[in-house]
Amino acid sequence: MAEEKKKVKAPKLADPVASSIDVASQEMIARSHELGIETIFDRALTMKQCAIGVQGTCCKNCSMGPCRLPLPKAGIEGEDTRKGLCGATANTIAARNFIRMIAGGAAAHSDHGRCVAEIFLSAARKETEAYKIKDFDKLIEVAKYLGVATTVEVDGEELDRDIDEIAVETAEVALGEWGKAEGEVLSVKKAPKARYELWKKMGVIPRNIDREIVEIMHRTHMGVDQDYKNLMKQGTRAALADGWGGSMLATDMQDILFGTPYPLQSEANLGVMKADHVNIVIHGHEPVLSEMIIAVAQSQEMIDYAKKKGAAGIQLSGICCTANEMLQRHGVPLCGTFLQQELAIITGAVDAMVVDIQCIMQNIANVAKCFHTHLITTHPIAKMEQENVIHIEFDEHHAIEDAKRIVKMAIDNFQNRGAEVMIPQHKAPLVAGFGVESTEYHLGGSFRGTYYTLNDNIINGRIRGIAGVVGCNNARTRHNQDHIAICKELIKNDVIVLTTGCTAIACAMEGLLMPEAAATHAGAGLAEVCETVGIPPILHLGSCVDNSRILLAATEVVKAGGLGNDISDLPVAGSAPEWMSEKAISIGHYFVASGVYTIFSNLPTTGAPVFNDYICKEFEELYGGMWGAEQDPIKHAHLMIAHIDKKRKALGIDKARDRVMMDFASRQAL
Ligand code: NFS
């Protein structure tokens, strides 16, 4: 019988070396096979991508579909006659899908921001013991741009206003940015004047944060907006509501509550876990949770309790952007990137993995089931269906108690570890915690107090330009390979790199966030600047919501003078080589709309060539920034460098560069 003849196929297993450039990850992928535990690397072999979805031309916005409009193999000659049942063209479908991704990403960043705003309001009103205002300078700065008075006039004299009053009013105004009835998102005015004026002219200034996201959902509903240009206009407005609104407010309010980061040292990779310690891994995005766990895990009470239970101490570490948040403010080590979340548990050494929101793979529950690991969800909007998952809801009114419960649970679990503990012995040192303020300190003149020194070095050509390289890991590409290849190629060519998110973690794991990396990897000009001021050639600026720090750093460069009037004049470019999340599309688009050439490995728009050209070519005419796509990492980096050189030429500073071109050997000879 046919059925008897069927052979049971062995599951396809990922080749560890082909899956990741990182040795620690390779070891853990091999370990997963020894233990018979499936990971995303294996699933990427069996689950094939849908080619039409990849092209962006599958429409499932109504139940007459899905209507699928693949690009013919031979391309399109003459008129493009493809249409869905309702007549929607490939351009309409791809544009709708694209801006729905922007809506998803903007919603994720901005809802995170709203949560921080609510806690900020609680702290300002002194309704919570757990959260307090930490950075008063930042509070005053934010109060000012939100139009909150920071002084009062008494008898004709201008006096400082009561700080508690300022805090409450600032928090109220901030929270209002999500749903106010009139006006525009106030933080957008932080952009260079020329950029703000351009957005005004184009009609893309966001009115409030929620509204722009809701309007995308409306306009992409069946039978509403059917003009790809008009759809992209709304996509632009929502992306700006994210980058210059929800994300920027999230960053600023996190700095107010938890402190503005300054450079510090730490370590990265799975090897930061310790076999004799209770290992708690925090994974997700909101520092609201991790700040409390840090406070509790570092308390003498909990350390003593851990010792009583036979552990040498408590080792905290982070995955994804929570890792970056904990690192930049407390030096807590990075456990790994998005693609290492299952691998961390496979060490057998994780006593608790605590998660909140975003980028949490549901499969970690299945992996945790194979070990003693407690998997704890904490957020009311992010639960898991698997039975082994414990839900402890985190609330600002009893945050310390919640954190204590979680940490104690991890400690109690230490004694339940099996014999299968295997922590890969690989980690790298790093320096992180850069931001607008600290970059000013390191690269600005203390005399002028601006980005003068940075600008000066760009003008004289030691620094060729600035690149923002950010974003995720993606199981369809070799883990970290493109991040590292692109970043190395950029710094080799004297382009200083600003990084966030999982790219930042990847660079950390490779040792590229150390000042010493300048001598070994950077071009002569960039190396000289880095060595003089003592910074790495790649600066870690935080989590993905902290991409707003890159926007503001670019704005400071414009303000410091000598490099044009707008971000689009600067020799800068952006990249997200291993992107996978909708947040990356929102980030990419607010960079494009801010005037930056932004290049991804691939874009979900190739099935609609006219729409693809619109965002990759015509957009430059409209906004001075445009999208690009290139899979080969070296070509990818050189597209960015070519754009930087184009901008240098337009600024008339291309000649200066030629003068200082010296390779390392000639410097040494000198
Ligand atoms: Ni960014 Fe952070 Fe990583 Fe991608 Fe996910 S962690 S918010 S989305 S995967 S960089």
Side-chain angles (χ1 to χ4, degrees):
M1 293 202 356
E3 278 188 9
E4 279 169 17
K5 277 189 201 157
K6 260 192 199 163
K7 279 194 189 149
V8 183
K9 270 198 195 160
K12 279 192 189 166
L13 297 179
D15 173 355
V17 177
S19 301
S20 174
I21 61 161
D22 167 48
V23 180
S25 299
Q26 291 169 2
E27 286 177 10
M28 293 322 293
I29 295 167
R31 179 71 175 155
S32 74
H33 298 157
E34 273 167 33
L35 298 173
I37 300 168
E38 178 207 85
T39 67
I40 189 168
F41 299 98
D42 306 316
R43 288 190 295 278
L45 297 180
T46 44
M47 168 72 78
K48 295 281 173 237
Q49 282 182 288
C50 163
I52 307 160
V54 168
Q55 293 180 4
T57 44
C58 171
C59 179
K60 51 185 185 59
N61 293 13
C62 86
S63 81
M64 296 188 288
C67 292
R68 303 177 307 154
L69 275 58
L71 198 63
K73 279 227 168 68
I76 306 239
E77 266 191 45
E79 201 191 336
D80 185 354
T81 53
R82 293 173 299 158
K83 27 177 126 55
L85 252 66
C86 68
T89 62
N91 294 328
T92 301
I93 292 172
R96 285 199 300 223
N97 289 340
F98 195 76
I99 73 168
R100 276 202 173 194
M101 292 185 88
I102 293 177
H109 286 142
S110 300
D111 211 31
H112 162 169
R114 183 205 320 272
C115 175
V116 183
E118 284 170 346
I119 296 214
F120 174 30
L121 185 58
S122 270
R125 287 180 177 162
K126 303 196 193 304
E127 292 168 354
T128 162
E129 267 299 294
Y131 300 95
K132 297 206 163 53
I133 288 162
K134 206 166 178 179
D135 188 337
F136 289 95
D137 290 342
K138 196 71 169 234
L139 169 64
I140 296 296
E141 191 191 315
V142 174
K144 283 184 178 158
Y145 79 68
L146 291 180
V148 174
T150 55
T151 54
V152 277
E153 219 185 277
V154 181
D155 300 334
E157 219 187 316
E158 188 144 301
L159 301 175
D160 284 344
R161 192 178 167 199
D162 178 67
I163 195 78
D164 290 342
E165 264 179 48
I166 296 174
V168 172
E169 198 181 324
T170 304
E172 284 170 352
V173 174
L175 198 51
E177 293 296 277
W178 272 261
K180 63 187 180 188
E182 290 175 327
E184 56 190 40
V185 172
L186 296 165
S187 41
V188 171
K189 271 231 161 99
K190 290 176 87 178
K193 196 163 175 286
R195 183 66 16 192
Y196 177 83
E197 296 299 335
L198 174 69
W199 290 334
K200 195 103 193 153
K201 193 180 103 201
M202 304 295 278
V204 294
I205 305 258
R207 294 156 290 185
N208 70 48
I209 297 163
D210 286 349
R211 180 171 182 177
E212 306 312 348
I213 297 162
V214 170
E215 192 170 308
I216 284 186
M217 297 314 285
H218 178 192
R219 282 164 76 158
T220 56
H221 181 277
M222 195 272 147
V224 187
D225 203 347
Q226 294 155 35
D227 171 3
Y228 63 90
K229 292 184 181 175
N230 206 38
L231 284 159
M232 273 315 289
K233 186 176 164 187
Q234 182 56 21
T236 302
R237 188 148 56 167
L240 294 176
D242 175 358
W244 293 89
S247 281
M248 196 167 277
L249 286 164
T251 297
D252 279 345
M253 290 183 293
Q254 284 170 180
D255 285 354
I256 291 173
L257 287 172
F258 311 125
T260 301
Y262 278 90
L264 40 69
Q265 289 192 329
S266 189
E267 296 175 322
N269 212 342
L270 296 166
V272 302
M273 283 191 273
K274 294 189 182 127
D276 60 354
H277 279 56
V278 173
N279 289 300
I280 304 177
V281 179
I282 324 274
H283 172 18
H285 284 77
E286 287 180 357
V288 163
L289 165 77
S290 52
E291 284 285 328
M292 289 303 114
I293 307 251
I294 293 170
V296 168
Q298 290 176 347
S299 70
Q300 200 53 48
E301 181 195 347
M302 285 298 152
I303 295 168
D304 290 345
Y305 186 63
K307 287 185 176 158
K308 205 171 109 195
K309 293 285 175 172
I314 302 169
Q315 180 62 55
L316 278 182
S317 61
I319 302 250
C320 283
C321 282
T322 273
N324 292 321
E325 299 283 6
M326 297 198 293
L327 168 71
Q328 66 181 348
R329 296 197 181 87
H330 301 279
V332 171
L334 303 167
C335 185
T337 64
F338 168 74
L339 276 183
Q340 288 171 287
Q341 53 189 288
E342 292 166 309
L343 306 182
I345 302 175
I346 292 169
T347 62
V350 179
D351 302 301
M353 183 177 275
V354 191
V355 305
D356 54 27
I357 48 157
Q358 299 172 20
C359 302
I360 295 145
M361 292 196 236
Q362 189 166 357
N363 197 58
I364 57 172
N366 303 327
V367 178
K369 216 182 284 176
C370 307
F371 298 89
H372 76 302
T373 306
H374 284 323
L375 178 58
I376 304 169
T377 54
T378 56
H379 209 291
I381 68 161
K383 294 186 176 185
M384 288 182 176
E385 69 183 43
Q386 287 98 323
E387 275 169 12
N388 60 319
V389 181
I390 305 161
H391 187 73
I392 298 178
E393 206 148 299
F394 209 73
D395 183 300
E396 75 258 35
H397 301 291
H398 42 78
I400 293 282
E401 294 73 31
D402 295 336
K404 273 190 184 164
R405 210 174 133 206
I406 291 168
V407 173
K408 212 159 165 281
M409 213 173 218
I411 297 172
D412 287 335
N413 201 24
F414 176 72
Q415 62 200 18
N416 298 329
R417 278 206 202 152
E420 67 282 347
V421 172
M422 186 190 129
I423 302 173
Q425 296 303 302
H426 304 282
K427 59 180 177 180
L430 66 92
V431 176
F434 291 91
V436 178
E437 295 83 356
S438 58
T439 308
E440 185 168 316
Y441 171 75
H442 280 277
L443 279 169
S446 53
F447 176 56
R448 293 172 193 247
T450 70
Y451 275 48
Y452 175 78
T453 311
L454 176 60
N455 283 32
D456 200 31
N457 278 300
I458 295 173
I459 293 164
N460 71 26
R462 278 192 195 89
I463 296 177
R464 190 170 190 160
I466 306 172
V469 187
V470 305
C472 323
N473 281 146
N474 186 322
R476 301 294 176 190
T477 61
R478 193 177 180 210
H479 173 228
N480 286 357
Q481 175 170 276
D482 294 349
H483 288 310
I484 300 307
I486 289 166
C487 287
K488 280 188 178 167
E489 191 63 22
L490 289 168
I491 60 175
K492 189 173 114 189
N493 285 282
D494 293 318
V495 176
I496 191 168
V497 174
L498 309 182
T499 184
T500 61
C502 288
T503 315
I505 304 176
C507 290
M509 287 160 57
E510 244 345 87
L512 296 175
L513 301 189
M514 290 299 285
E516 292 76 17
T520 38
H521 296 289
L526 176 60
E528 193 180 329
V529 176
C530 290
E531 281 160 24
T532 309
V533 293
I535 55 164
I538 300 178
L539 302 180
H540 185 317
L541 270 80
S543 67
C544 287
V545 299
D546 292 331
N547 280 317
S548 58
R549 297 190 201 275
I550 300 184
L551 295 176
L552 293 177
T555 304
E556 290 302 317
V557 172
V558 173
K559 277 196 215 154
L563 291 170
N565 296 321
D566 194 353
I567 297 172
S568 56
D569 295 330
L570 303 177
V572 303
S575 159
E578 298 182 29
W579 79 280
M580 62 86 202
S581 101
E582 291 169 329
K583 289 179 283 178
I585 292 289
S586 183
I587 293 166
H589 198 62
Y590 68 64
F591 272 100
V592 167
S594 300
V596 181
Y597 171 47
T598 304
I599 171 165
F600 279 25
S601 46
N602 60 303
L603 287 172
T605 52
T606 51
V610 174
F611 171 62
N612 190 72
D613 274 4
Y614 178 62
I615 62 168
C616 294
K617 291 185 185 142
E618 286 174 56
F619 241 73
E620 188 174 19
E621 302 277 300
L622 303 173
Y623 291 94
M626 67 293 197
W627 282 93
E630 175 54 57
Q631 231 146 24
D632 179 274
I634 302 301
K635 282 189 198 154
H636 185 117
H638 281 280
L639 283 169
M640 297 169 76
I641 293 166
H643 181 77
I644 283 169
D645 286 350
K646 181 173 101 179
K647 293 291 171 185
R648 292 189 67 87
K649 194 160 181 210
L651 288 164
I653 55 171
D654 50 327
K655 297 288 178 299
R657 232 208 99 62
D658 295 335
R659 232 179 20 239
V660 290
M661 281 268 271
M662 271 202 319
D663 63 11
F664 228 70
S666 48
R667 273 189 71 215
Q668 273 172 340
L670 263 179

